[in-house]
Amino acid sequence: MRQSTGEKAFNFINIAYLFLFMLTTIYPIWYIFIISITDTSASSTADIFLLPGKLTLDSYKAVVLNASLLNGFKISVARVLIGVSLTLVNCSMMAYVLSRAHFQGKKFFNMLIVVSMFLSVGMIPFFLVVRSFGLVNSFWGLIIPFAYDPFGIILMRNYFRNVPISLEESARIDGANDLVIYWRIIIPISMPILATMTLFWSVWFWNDFIYAAFLVTKKDLQPVQVILLQIINGVSNAASLGKLTSRGVRLRTNGEAVKNAAIIASIVPILIVYPFVQKYFVQGITLGAVKE
Amino acid sequence: MVRKRSLLQLVRNQWIMWVMLVPGVISLILFSYLPMFGIIVAFQKYDIAKGFFSSPFVGLDNFTRFLHDPMIQNVIRNTLGLSSIKLIVSFPIPIVFALLLNEVRIRPYKRVVQTISYLPHFVSWVIVIGIFKKMLSAEDGVINLLIETLGGERINFAVSSWFMWPLAIGSDIWKETGWSAIIYLAALTAIAPELYEAATVDGAGRWKQMLHITLPGIKSTIIILLILAIPSIVGSNVEQMWVLGSLPVRDVTEVIDTYVLRTGLGSMQYSVAAAAGLVKTVISVILLVTVNTFAKRIGEQGVY
């Protein structure tokens, strides 16, 4: 098909515009990254904007040497691993049961879930309930109250419904019960949606700071985002937080660069997982969202 | 009688399914429905030591108390103002982005743009605001470097009240545009290609096709998302506003959600905060029902 001049111009401008869009998306992260790998011991980073200055990994060394940040990373990793596993088991079992047409209580539980999605009464009653179970200032308080996600259950339920019934029938004839069908047939075939939910929940558990900030005030239980919040808002000073010497040698960095290194370090886990799950999640959401 | 027995039999046959449901239902009851009943603290003078059951009821006292808070005028203005602007400015942007991306004929390029576009969605608000604050820093931020190179004066953005709303809106657009576009892009792929072929035969150009095929094709998606967005006018992005709300600029960043957190969990006035939160929930439910009814009246699908 031949293109008119107008269309050619449009194509060109469109592609250029989207290129600009990509740049604005990437640049802020790039900017933080180049500062985090620049030697800031002698000069400030005030004139850096495109390429790093003298290279060093000392800022990252300072992050690792910082006991409170390092502990925050550990808490966050544990929270993601345990939290996501629990949520996956919890929600996928519920989704499986609700996706079976012959399950008797289907309507009632579906309604319970939808209501819980639209009628959330806010953080205060939630906090008071969590508190009354003694889950404040405890590691499990960062996990158990969040191991349920109505939106995720509905997405998974819709996905499970679309699994061809013939697969299940032959297993049933062989005498398989629902737990076997769930574990042997539905779970292996539903990787796109499971990968999608794993990504969503991992990101949620990794990124949450607002619940964590109020549920956990003990320093050694705070996840990394809470500590970063304090550093970024200047509650605790990055420079005083960071030990800027290693074995008596002064690290070639300063408080600002350490802060940037911590920011990058907190994005890296997402950047690592992202490419693997990326191809699944568009498919996962769109398939799961197909009609009630 | 016959029916009853078969029901019993079914439950017996389905006991495994009921067992599988148990953990989910327990979480649902404990952390979703119990808090709904916990909202009674809004009508109590809640005392941590006495708990839900023995705290005295005070009627609507807590509601009058937060309405008399000197801060509340700012809170209401910030919530409604900021959300309205966000709705008007941020809502159409993903649609435009999806339409433009849809016009790209070079597939790999399209994929790269899309993949990069939703990356910021996965970065936490702490980090997003941290990054923006760094870029805007008065001492060594890149924006001030640019301003100075162009011959301007350095601006201390972090303590500039006038800058907080643009920052909130801008960072929101940066973080969520690509992500919000996914749903539109999915809707776009559902449009039958024959429609475009027929239009081309009839001599319609790309612009006309976009106007008469693409846009009508995603109209119902747009309306559903709009219905879901309108109740959020009394809501806000609590994480974003919490990080933004440092003390010098708090009178322009405090919204209902952050106010609830600060009075409730910050200064332990649980009941007053719960009352404020309840008012917000009630208004947003009323808005949702109204908008949804209206959408159905004009022949659209609605969200429930």
Side-chain angles (χ1 to χ4, degrees), chain B residues 160-295:
Chain B
S160 306
S161 294
W162 62 268
F163 190 69
M164 288 303 120
W165 286 22
L167 179 55
I169 294 157
S171 55
D172 193 46
I173 293 172
W174 182 77
K175 192 172 187 290
E176 305 296 351
T177 296
W179 184 252
S180 315
I182 289 187
I183 198 101
Y184 296 115
L185 286 164
L188 284 172
T189 57
I191 300 174
E194 298 87 52
L195 288 176
Y196 292 105
E197 282 158 25
T200 314
V201 173
D202 289 346
R206 297 252 300 263
W207 175 247
K208 282 208 162 143
Q209 292 183 13
M210 188 194 265
L211 222 54
H212 297 294
I213 301 174
T214 314
L215 263 181
I218 58 171
K219 193 180 114 200
S220 57
T221 310
I222 295 177
I223 289 176
I224 287 182
L225 291 179
L226 196 60
I227 294 174
L228 290 171
I230 284 175
S232 69
I233 213 155
V234 286
S236 52
N237 193 321
V238 60
E239 297 194 327
Q240 179 194 32
M241 298 316 286
W242 186 264
V243 192
L244 263 185
S246 63
L247 209 47
V249 293
R250 199 162 290 161
D251 55 327
V252 294
T253 61
E254 195 81 317
V255 289
I256 294 182
D257 293 322
T258 53
Y259 172 84
V260 167
L261 280 183
R262 225 178 294 276
T263 36
L265 304 181
S267 35
M268 312 285 186
Q269 293 177 281
Y270 299 110
S271 289
V272 178
L278 183 59
V279 170
K280 183 206 129 181
T281 306
V282 169
I283 297 176
S284 73
V285 169
I286 292 174
L287 282 175
L288 179 70
V289 173
T290 316
V291 180
N292 198 49
T293 314
F294 177 73

Side-chain angles (χ1 to χ4, degrees), chain A residues 93 96 176-184, chain B residues 16-17 20:
Chain A
M93 284 202 304
Y96 168 78
N177 64 31
D178 281 292
L179 200 59
V180 174
I181 289 169
Y182 158 79
W183 187 246
R184 288 273 161 79
Chain B
I16 294 182
M17 290 216 244
M20 287 169 76

Side-chain angles (χ1 to χ4, degrees), chain B residues 8-75:
Chain B
L8 210 95
Q9 206 159 22
L10 266 170
V11 172
R12 197 174 304 148
N13 293 342
Q14 297 188 336
W15 68 271
I16 294 182
M17 290 216 244
W18 288 90
V19 172
M20 287 169 76
L21 218 49
V22 167
V25 172
I26 291 181
S27 325
L28 175 70
I29 292 171
L30 292 190
F31 299 109
S32 188
Y33 280 86
L34 218 53
M36 285 187 211
F37 295 107
I39 196 66
I40 55 165
V41 298
F43 305 94
Q44 289 177 328
K45 193 177 181 345
Y46 182 78
D47 183 339
I48 279 269
K50 289 181 184 150
F52 292 118
F53 300 107
S54 329
S55 295
F57 279 89
V58 291
L60 297 177
D61 237 29
N62 297 313
F63 295 86
T64 40
R65 272 182 57 199
F66 90 77
L67 285 174
H68 284 107
D69 189 321
M71 187 74 184
I72 202 70
Q73 276 191 3
N74 281 343
V75 171

